[in-house]
Amino acid sequence: MVLDLLLIALAITLDPLPLTAFVLVVSSAKGVWKGLVFILSWLACLVAVIALVLALTGGQPPAPRSTPSTAALAAKLAIGVGLVVYGEHTRRRMVAERAHRRAPEQPSLTSELDRSTLWTSAGLAVLLQPWGMVAAGATEVVSADLSHPVTWLVLFAFCLLATASLLAIELYVVFAPEKAKPRLLRLRAWMKGHQQQAIVILCLGLGLWLTGKSIYELTA
């Protein structure tokens, strides 16, 4: 559970879509406060998913080969396959766009975010949460045993790692506001140019890992 959860958290924190939007959020008017609300909403989603799974399992992992255990593995397999399919679809679309020498359309959100409210930032965090990866994390939490203190540390590490990139950007804006904005806008421009490549790598890598691990555990 530990390795899988940390890999999933790493994929979540490196997802370019929420990162690109978060850079715009913290670069807008009152960006520090909007960024803080974004992070709190992001964390609330992760905590809510973990709490829901633990409430269903009672904090005790299901017995091996039991119906709940098999269902969790089947769900993880389906999510892994879904990530692989999405990653391959993105790769094919990227190749087609390159062949036609056109870049994917990127909507301009700067002016809209300048006029946005704190509630907008909170809603944006929910919408941009990579729910497929979060669902994969939920299938791992099924096997969490709350009677062991280490489990609490692993779950905390999962939430922290999944939010690490957002926290790093937020702290950079807080402690170095004058340097942060131009550098973050350059970072956003770079991420826009490499967004699809990052999605392909993350989805295919994590999807293949989850698929292979699930098949092994289902057949072992």
Side-chain angles (χ1 to χ4, degrees):
M1 179 190 79
V2 177
L3 177 60
D4 289 351
L5 266 182
L6 294 182
L7 286 175
I8 293 168
L10 183 62
I12 291 174
T13 201
L14 294 178
D15 191 312
L17 294 179
L19 273 180
T20 302
F22 186 73
V23 168
L24 281 175
V25 168
V26 296
S27 300
S28 65
K30 299 181 180 178
V32 171
W33 291 106
K34 291 177 183 177
L36 178 61
V37 171
F38 188 105
I39 290 173
L40 291 176
S41 179
W42 179 277
L43 275 172
C45 291
L46 295 175
V47 172
V49 169
I50 291 173
L52 177 61
V53 173
L54 293 178
L56 293 174
T57 63
Q60 296 294 326
R65 299 296 180 181
S66 64
T67 300
S69 176
T70 303
L73 289 174
K76 183 165 67 172
L77 175 60
I79 293 168
V81 172
L83 289 173
V84 171
V85 170
Y86 180 73
E88 177 61 18
H89 170 73
T90 303
R91 188 192 68 81
R92 290 175 180 270
R93 185 176 61 187
M94 181 176 62
V95 171
E97 288 168 351
R98 286 180 176 176
H100 291 85
R101 296 183 180 179
R102 62 184 179 87
E105 296 183 0
Q106 296 288 346
S108 176
L109 298 175
T110 306
S111 58
E112 288 80 357
L113 287 173
D114 280 336
R115 298 190 297 268
S116 67
T117 65
L118 297 179
W119 287 108
T120 304
S121 297
L124 195 61
V126 176
L127 289 174
L128 293 177
Q129 191 91 214
W131 288 108
M133 297 179 187
V134 174
T139 63
E140 294 295 335
V141 176
V142 170
S143 61
D145 187 353
L146 295 184
S147 63
H148 296 294
V150 175
T151 301
W152 293 96
L153 293 176
V154 171
L155 295 178
F156 175 78
F158 170 77
C159 293
L160 183 61
L161 181 56
T163 318
S165 57
L166 305 181
L167 287 172
I169 293 173
E170 177 76 3
L171 291 174
Y172 186 38
V173 173
V174 170
F175 291 107
E178 295 182 358
K179 296 180 179 179
K181 188 168 183 178
R183 290 181 179 178
L184 288 177
L185 289 178
R186 287 197 296 270
L187 174 63
R188 174 180 174 261
W190 182 87
M191 286 192 297
K192 284 175 63 178
H194 298 80
Q195 182 172 285
Q196 289 187 325
Q197 294 96 321
I199 290 174
V200 170
I201 293 171
L202 288 174
C203 288
L204 288 180
L206 183 60
L208 289 172
W209 170 264
L210 293 175
T211 300
K213 187 77 176 295
S214 301
I215 293 174
Y216 172 78
E217 292 178 348
L218 283 169
T219 58

